[in-house]
Amino acid sequence: ISIDGSSGAENRVVVDGVEATDTWNGLPALYVVTDFVEELQVKSSGYSAEYGGSTGGVLNAITKTGTNAWHGEALLYWSDDALDAGPRPSLRLAPTDATVAEYVTYPEDPYRRVEPGFTVGGPLVRDRLWLFAGYIPSFRPLDRTVSFLSDGTTGTYRQELRRHSAAVNLTARLGPRWSAKAAFSMGRM
């Protein structure tokens, strides 16, 4: 996401008030699934000093909390290479003669991505303590067939891409003007 002409690596990412920017490359260190997000604020300029050190924007995500009624959902996201458009030709230099350019249409990699999951939220103590929890794993096996020019052999190799995303929040009302929130968010490969 480019904000005010800065690259995505110059943005700041905050999840539930905690810095979630990777200090090594400036990109998000935590990926939060949109099913867990209650509110997303994008600050492009004029933000307060607490977000200092960012030449781009500030992406502030606030995760969901429970309410006084129990709600939940079971969900399934699915995508497949059959839903993609056909392959497009790519221009490359010929492997045997670097002075010749050629169009090559590489075969598509067959893939399937499945993301089953759930969210649930509600009161642990009505009007005092609420819970929200969610878990969505992502499974994407990727098979790639490769032909080696050196000896003409062909091999198919599989890569198992997995991501586990979870969020658990406890929100408490401590008094008429005081509340507290404890949040755990995970988005890992």
Side-chain angles (χ1 to χ4, degrees):
I1 298 173
S2 176
I3 299 174
D4 283 345
S6 296
S7 72
E10 296 167 310
N11 294 330
R12 205 100 191 243
V13 179
V14 179
V15 178
D16 285 327
V18 177
E19 179 74 31
T21 308
D22 188 331
T23 56
W24 183 257
N25 60 20
L27 298 174
L30 173 67
Y31 293 91
V32 180
V33 177
T34 56
D35 292 282
F36 303 157
V37 175
E38 180 74 32
E39 182 179 345
L40 178 65
Q41 300 169 342
V42 179
K43 300 172 194 279
S44 61
S45 63
Y47 39 85
S48 62
E50 69 182 293
Y51 301 114
S54 170
T55 58
V58 176
L59 304 167
N60 186 12
I62 300 168
T63 56
K64 292 181 179 179
T65 60
T67 62
N68 272 331
W70 283 99
H71 296 281
E73 62 184 358
L75 49 95
L76 176 68
Y77 296 114
W78 172 78
S79 63
D80 195 293
D81 61 309
L83 301 173
D84 292 346
R88 285 198 251 177
S90 298
L91 183 63
R92 72 168 188 187
L93 292 176
T96 55
D97 185 359
T99 63
V100 176
E102 62 184 4
Y103 278 101
V104 176
T105 302
Y106 295 105
E108 286 188 327
D109 294 327
Y111 74 91
R112 177 185 68 258
R113 183 176 186 158
V114 179
E115 296 181 9
F118 74 90
T119 63
V120 64
L124 295 177
V125 177
R126 189 166 180 78
D127 295 326
R128 289 279 182 212
L129 183 64
W130 302 274
L131 167 77
F132 172 82
Y135 176 66
I136 302 176
S138 174
F139 306 102
R140 183 180 177 190
L142 180 66
D143 294 321
R144 178 165 287 172
T145 302
V146 180
S147 298
F148 298 98
L149 294 176
S150 59
D151 60 0
T153 60
T154 300
T156 300
Y157 301 93
R158 174 168 276 223
Q159 181 181 18
E160 295 285 342
L161 301 169
R162 293 186 179 138
R163 174 177 280 164
H164 298 277
S165 299
V168 178
N169 293 332
L170 283 174
T171 307
R173 188 170 146 229
L174 305 175
R177 293 189 296 180
W178 291 90
S179 63
K181 179 177 180 180
F184 168 80
S185 295
M186 177 184 81
R188 298 209 168 194
M189 288 204 149

